[in-house]
Amino acid sequence: MEYVVIIPAAGSGKRMNAGKNKLFLTVQNVPVIIHTLQVFETDPLCKAIYLSINPGERESFKLLINQYKINKVKAMVAGGKERQESVFEALKAVRETDIVLVHDGARPFIRHSTIRRLVEKAEESKAAIVAVPVKDTIKRAEDAQIMETVERSGLWAAQTPQAFHMSILKQAYESADRDQFLGTDDASLVERLGVAVAIVEGQYDNIKLTTIEDLYFAEAIIKNRLSLPEG
Ligand code: C5P
């Protein structure tokens, strides 16, 4: 039931346009990365945290981790140009686990109850991700011309965390590296191996802070947290 988590935190946050790593921006006066780390610090099932960071930000991360007394960070590895490289570098450092989770540093609102359901599912089925049913109607378009309205039933928006048996995630990353395959999430690398990946339904408030307006949503989510149903 215990797990280790890899948290990629080496992005440059270009789409946030903040002039710095978006994970250092604050929500309710606490840096985004600290909100995320605190979830895992306080989860008794989490044995260790592996962070991938931009080496130029090592001291800033260290200072924050000390200030907020995050004790589970086992290693801070140098990330890469793509998220996939950042996760792969951290994965090479992980040793002591059967179940490994990958969770974006930019998703601070994941709940312990969802993590628990995810880990249980990954234990029985080797690979599982948190996702939510797509609410919008999805169009496929070329040059802003609609080509197709995609059937919505059966569509899910993938989130993190994503959880795997360690040996399978390693195999998936090594295979992607060999074939120079670049996926947009961790599960897509595992899917390539022909391994079935299960879905655990999560919450819509597990947002990834990506663009500037997400900071307003984040403030609202935190303020309303206690009145939202636990899921
Ligand atoms: O850019 P995006 O928000 O999709 O990135 C998701 C997560 O991956 C973020 O926490 C970001 O810091 C991390 N990342 C990384 N290395 C990269 C790009 C993104 O660790 N090269």
Side-chain angles (χ1 to χ4, degrees):
M1 194 53 178
E2 287 184 324
Y3 67 84
V4 153
V5 65
I6 290 172
I7 301 185
S12 58
K14 258 187 267 158
R15 284 174 291 177
M16 186 62 85
N17 233 336
K20 62 174 174 181
N21 185 341
K22 62 186 176 184
L23 301 184
F24 296 130
L25 298 174
T26 59
V27 178
Q28 294 279 295
N29 296 318
V30 173
V32 170
I33 187 63
I34 293 298
H35 284 291
T36 306
L37 288 170
Q38 277 171 340
V39 174
F40 294 97
E41 181 71 19
T42 57
D43 183 1
L45 299 179
C46 178
K47 285 193 291 186
I49 301 169
Y50 288 78
L51 267 181
S52 20
I53 60 158
N54 177 337
E57 295 172 344
R58 183 173 293 275
E59 283 314 307
S60 310
F61 275 105
K62 267 193 180 163
L63 278 173
L64 285 177
I65 284 168
N66 285 338
Q67 182 187 346
Y68 287 93
K69 300 189 170 42
I70 307 292
N71 297 313
K72 289 186 185 170
V73 175
K74 261 275 173 65
M76 283 196 264
V77 305
K81 246 187 20 248
E82 302 288 343
R83 178 190 182 279
Q84 189 171 315
E85 287 175 54
S86 300
V87 173
F88 193 24
E89 288 312 310
L91 190 57
K92 290 175 191 165
V94 176
R95 296 276 172 271
E96 71 295 34
T97 194
D98 293 332
I99 298 286
V100 60
L101 267 58
V102 183
H103 183 67
D104 290 326
R107 280 191 202 268
F109 304 123
I110 184 67
R111 294 164 196 220
H112 289 162
S113 53
T114 310
I115 296 172
R116 177 173 287 270
R117 285 190 289 120
L118 176 74
V119 172
E120 276 168 8
K121 186 54 101 179
E123 276 180 336
E124 68 187 46
S125 66
K126 295 198 177 106
I129 71 167
V130 175
V132 287
V134 167
K135 290 197 264 193
D136 294 320
T137 297
I138 303 292
K139 309 282 188 188
R140 202 178 57 73
E142 281 169 28
D143 297 327
Q145 285 296 315
I146 292 172
M147 297 288 132
E148 183 194 0
T149 300
V150 183
E151 171 64 38
R152 188 172 50 197
S153 65
L155 287 187
W156 293 78
Q159 301 180 340
T160 69
Q162 303 193 345
F164 310 91
H165 283 215
M166 178 67 183
S167 56
I168 284 173
L169 192 63
K170 256 204 145 141
Q171 208 185 319
Y173 264 85
E174 281 160 4
S175 164
D177 187 45
R178 265 195 312 274
D179 302 344
Q180 304 214 313
F181 173 83
L182 196 61
T184 49
D185 71 349
D186 311 287
S188 60
L189 276 52
V190 171
E191 291 159 33
R192 284 181 79 234
L193 301 180
V195 174
V197 182
I199 284 182
V200 165
E201 186 164 352
Q203 275 94 23
Y204 289 99
D205 68 357
N206 180 28
I207 61 167
K208 182 167 62 122
L209 275 65
T210 305
T211 54
I212 199 76
E213 63 273 12
D214 290 332
L215 287 173
Y216 302 119
F217 297 138
E219 292 286 347
I221 289 167
I222 284 207
K223 282 185 196 142
N224 289 295
R225 271 237 108 150
L226 295 175
S227 58
L228 287 170
E230 245 301 295

